[in-house]
Amino acid sequence: MSATLRLALLLLAVAVCQGYQSNDIDEEDELVYEPSKYGSLWPLPQKVRVSEVSFKLPSASFKIVDAKESSAGPSCSLLQNAYRRYYEYMFGSVRKPGYVKSRAAGPSEISELQVWITSADSECDSYPSLTSDESYELTVDQPNAVLKASKVWGALRGEKNINSTTISDFPRFAHRGILLDTSRHFLPIKVILANLEAMAMNKFNVFHWHIVDDPSFPYLSRTFPQLSQQGAYHPYTHVYTPADVKMIIEFARLRGIRVIPEFDTPGHTQSWGKGQKDLLTPCYSGTTPSGTFGPVNPILNTTYSFMRQLFSEISSVFPDAYVHLGGDEVDFSCWRSNPDIQNFMEQQGFGQDYSKLESFYIQKLLDIVTTTQKGYMIWQEVFDNGVKLKPDTLIHVWKGNQQQYKDEMANITSAGYHTLLSTPWYLNRISYGQDWQGVYRADPQDFKGTEAQKKLVIGGEACLWGEYVDATNLTPRLWPRASAVAERLWSAKEVTDISDAYSRLSMHRCRLVERGIPAEPLFTSFCPHEYKGV
């Protein structure tokens, strides 16, 4: 069975998803949503030229192949894996047995998609990075379509977005991330993998893995196995083994996604203290210990010996050039109560300014991480508190109302640092109605500053914190709201039409549903293929 598509709606790397349109008036916004001339393209490519010509895709004989000139051939498992994956997306529900090995294309058929990697070094066996080239060009003509990219990362992006005669595409921002929290609720491996798959469908390229926090420590450390034995919800069923972590990293790599782990200190570390004696600060009630503990104890040499060993392991387990070190929301009350901390503060001349003690700790931690040859990301408090930072530090903005986070972006970039934004994209926060629209309108470069400052913004991340999220509701809460962030970070700055976005996102949401992703609806409507996972 062949799939007939208008060329303007041709998506060689997606299942057919048409017919999902709502021309109802949204009572909130009083907009009438009309079909988009770009069909279901999401995120919208930088340059698209639409044709009215129609073609057939013969499922029995259509092929995705390496172009003869390509520097990446059959030995490139990353591309071969992608070919199988996207062929299944296109024809999984309609193909019939009996693959035709060779047949001349009919007068209105596309017989194959040729993938041409033009650079001598395809980076097929590498990991994606902040500087990876994700650009691609697509030409669809009879009998063949040609997808041309300098590196394999561009080919991965292009395969998901064949939708017209020609496309010339590249991301607006290099860092387009999703943060998932696996401490407040443990997320099974299959849930993480399913959302990595959804991320690839939306051109996200960073999985920010907030792997540990106060409630639990599910990361099974080879160096300090007692951290998860004592700090995880369960030492066997609720941990990520070294094999699990390796599998997740490789699954992500094959989809052009970086995995950046976050080990947040000195706060958010209650679970750490269960398996590491003397790591946390004993809190006092008057002159006696209260039996509770606060942040990491910054005055002990053993603290830094532990951190040196742990981050040495982390740097070898996670191949990305960056690790997220947190540094947010440090409660000073326990430090204030501890007489040993008070004496140390006096010796150091810190007075009663406990942000100086936090900076003292963070500075020593940054020096440790620097020896592992890793770059680091930190939450904005570290910058706000005046810690000395390396020039290549990435500062992650998450706090404040709209004006406050815009001022923060301006301050960080005026100081010459690269930054990324999450404040308007905390998707764990939900409200009644089409809240994707506010998510869609937020722009990380929308602050007062020079063009040079704007160029220091590397992108952003949608965050899904886990207090009220686990395997039962994570995916529908995240998608397709995160898709709105995806387009803001990939597409041109001028792509802001809410009506057009609604039309395309509605069909894209149906495409996710057909592929087994239980993405929640935008508004009243229906999909040609409703979700079968219930």
Side-chain angles (χ1 to χ4, degrees):
M1 178 179 179
S2 64
T4 303
L5 302 171
R6 293 178 62 82
L7 187 55
L9 298 177
L10 180 61
L11 226 64
L12 295 183
V14 298
V16 178
C17 180
Q18 298 186 51
Y20 180 96
Q21 299 289 348
S22 173
N23 291 327
D24 293 340
I25 296 178
D26 186 324
E27 293 179 357
E28 295 176 307
D29 293 359
E30 297 184 351
L31 291 174
V32 177
Y33 297 110
E34 299 292 343
S36 171
K37 68 178 181 180
Y38 299 112
S40 63
L41 272 177
W42 196 277
L44 191 66
Q46 299 285 341
K47 298 179 182 178
V48 185
R49 192 177 71 196
V50 178
S51 169
E52 294 297 321
V53 180
S54 297
F55 290 104
K56 291 181 180 179
L57 295 179
S59 62
S61 59
F62 179 81
K63 295 178 293 183
I64 306 176
V65 300
D66 301 303
K68 292 180 180 179
E69 309 92 334
S70 179
S71 62
S75 64
C76 180
S77 60
L78 183 145
L79 286 182
Q80 300 304 317
N81 183 295
Y83 298 166
R84 290 191 295 270
R85 190 162 67 246
Y86 289 112
Y87 186 88
E88 181 69 23
Y89 285 156
M90 292 191 303
F91 302 117
S93 62
V94 297
R95 71 169 186 261
K96 291 183 178 180
Y99 172 70
V100 180
K101 186 174 182 181
S102 178
R103 177 175 69 82
S108 62
E109 291 182 347
I110 297 292
S111 63
E112 64 183 26
L113 169 63
Q114 297 178 359
V115 180
W116 180 4
I117 307 302
T118 61
S119 175
D121 179 11
S122 68
E123 298 186 1
C124 188
D125 298 317
S126 302
Y127 289 93
S129 71
L130 184 62
T131 58
S132 291
D133 186 348
E134 298 178 277
S135 62
Y136 66 92
E137 294 180 359
L138 174 73
T139 303
V140 178
D141 203 354
Q142 213 272 337
N144 301 323
V146 177
L147 175 64
K148 184 187 294 187
S150 176
K151 307 289 185 180
V152 291
W153 317 117
L156 288 178
R157 304 300 174 225
E159 283 186 68
K160 294 184 287 296
N161 285 278
I162 299 175
N163 196 45
S164 74
T165 307
T166 59
I167 291 176
S168 178
D169 203 11
F170 54 88
R172 180 182 170 202
F173 293 105
H175 187 116
R176 309 178 306 281
I178 294 286
L179 179 150
L180 296 182
D181 171 8
T182 57
S183 172
R184 291 172 175 87
H185 285 97
F186 180 82
L187 298 180
I189 298 292
K190 64 180 182 180
V191 173
I192 295 176
L193 299 184
N195 280 278
L196 285 169
E197 194 77 73
M199 285 173 62
M201 296 173 192
N202 288 271
K203 289 194 173 75
F204 281 106
N205 67 348
V206 175
F207 170 33
H208 177 167
W209 193 352
H210 190 86
I211 192 167
V212 299
D213 207 297
D214 282 328
S216 72
F217 196 105
Y219 172 76
L220 201 168
S221 165
R222 282 195 172 101
T223 311
F224 300 102
Q226 71 275 14
L227 289 171
S228 59
Q229 288 172 359
Q230 302 298 321
Y233 286 133
H234 190 281
Y236 308 129
T237 61
H238 286 60
V239 297
Y240 301 106
T241 67
D244 294 334
V245 173
K246 185 176 182 180
M247 178 179 67
I248 288 170
I249 291 171
E250 179 62 10
F251 189 92
R253 186 189 77 86
L254 292 175
R255 288 152 182 79
I257 297 172
R258 304 160 57 199
V259 179
I260 298 180
E262 181 182 354
F263 288 82
D264 189 359
T265 67
H268 293 279
T269 48
Q270 289 297 299
S271 65
W272 301 46
K274 295 177 181 179
Q276 187 65 21
K277 191 174 183 292
D278 297 328
L279 179 64
L280 302 185
T281 304
C283 305
Y284 277 66
S285 178
T287 58
T288 58
S290 65
T292 60
F293 295 88
V296 165
N297 193 330
I299 71 173
L300 300 180
N301 290 333
T302 52
T303 292
Y304 301 104
S305 175
F306 166 79
M307 292 297 174
R308 190 173 292 107
Q309 294 179 72
L310 178 63
F311 279 97
S312 176
E313 174 189 323
I314 291 167
S315 68
S316 65
V317 169
F318 293 91
D320 198 80
Y322 285 87
V323 60
H324 203 302
L325 300 179
D328 64 316
E329 295 184 317
V330 181
D331 184 353
F332 296 151
S333 59
C334 183
W335 281 351
R336 287 193 184 98
S337 75
N338 186 293
D340 294 328
I341 299 287
Q342 293 169 7
N343 292 335
F344 184 83
M345 292 282 288
E346 185 177 348
Q347 293 169 10
Q348 295 292 322
F350 291 163
Q352 294 299 308
D353 188 353
Y354 284 85
S355 67
K356 290 182 179 179
L357 181 60
E358 179 189 5
S359 297
F360 173 86
Y361 166 80
I362 291 288
Q363 187 62 64
K364 292 179 79 71
L365 179 64
L366 298 185
D367 291 342
I368 288 171
V369 173
T370 298
T371 65
T372 69
Q373 308 303 311
K374 291 286 189 186
Y376 43 77
M377 300 171 60
I378 44 91
W379 295 110
Q380 68 184 74
E381 287 98 321
V382 179
F383 168 81
D384 294 341
N385 291 339
V387 175
K388 183 180 178 182
L389 300 171
K390 291 193 304 181
D392 63 345
T393 299
L394 304 181
I395 300 173
H396 198 164
V397 175
W398 71 277
K399 293 174 68 176
N401 58 33
Q402 186 179 72
Q403 190 56 54
Q404 288 169 331
Y405 79 69
K406 288 183 179 182
D407 290 343
E408 185 76 7
M409 298 288 282
N411 292 337
I412 292 169
T413 54
S414 66
Y417 291 106
H418 286 90
T419 186
L420 63 154
L421 180 65
S422 282
T423 311
W425 298 324
Y426 266 42
L427 300 186
N428 46 288
R429 298 171 180 159
I430 56 176
S431 60
Y432 190 78
Q434 297 199 48
D435 61 350
W436 71 272
Q437 296 181 2
V439 169
Y440 187 76
R441 289 187 175 103
D443 192 299
Q445 290 183 330
D446 183 16
F447 61 89
K448 292 181 180 179
T450 65
E451 284 305 307
Q453 285 180 254
K454 303 293 179 70
K455 289 179 180 178
L456 292 173
V457 179
I458 64 168
E461 290 182 357
C463 300
L464 197 68
W465 297 98
E467 288 89 347
Y468 305 99
V469 175
D470 68 1
T472 65
N473 64 343
L474 183 148
T475 305
R477 183 166 294 191
L478 186 59
W479 307 103
R481 294 156 76 230
S483 302
V485 183
E487 178 152 293
R488 181 57 51 237
L489 295 176
W490 178 280
S491 303
K493 185 176 183 178
E494 297 74 26
V495 178
T496 56
D497 187 326
I498 287 288
S499 178
D500 185 80
Y502 177 87
S503 175
R504 291 182 292 108
L505 185 54
S506 297
M507 288 194 287
H508 179 61
R509 178 258 170 178
C510 279
R511 181 160 58 232
L512 294 175
V513 167
E514 187 176 6
R515 290 180 181 180
I517 304 297
E520 69 179 19
L522 298 180
F523 194 50
T524 55
S525 57
F526 75 97
C527 289
H529 304 275
E530 296 290 356
Y531 183 61
K532 304 297 184 183
V534 293

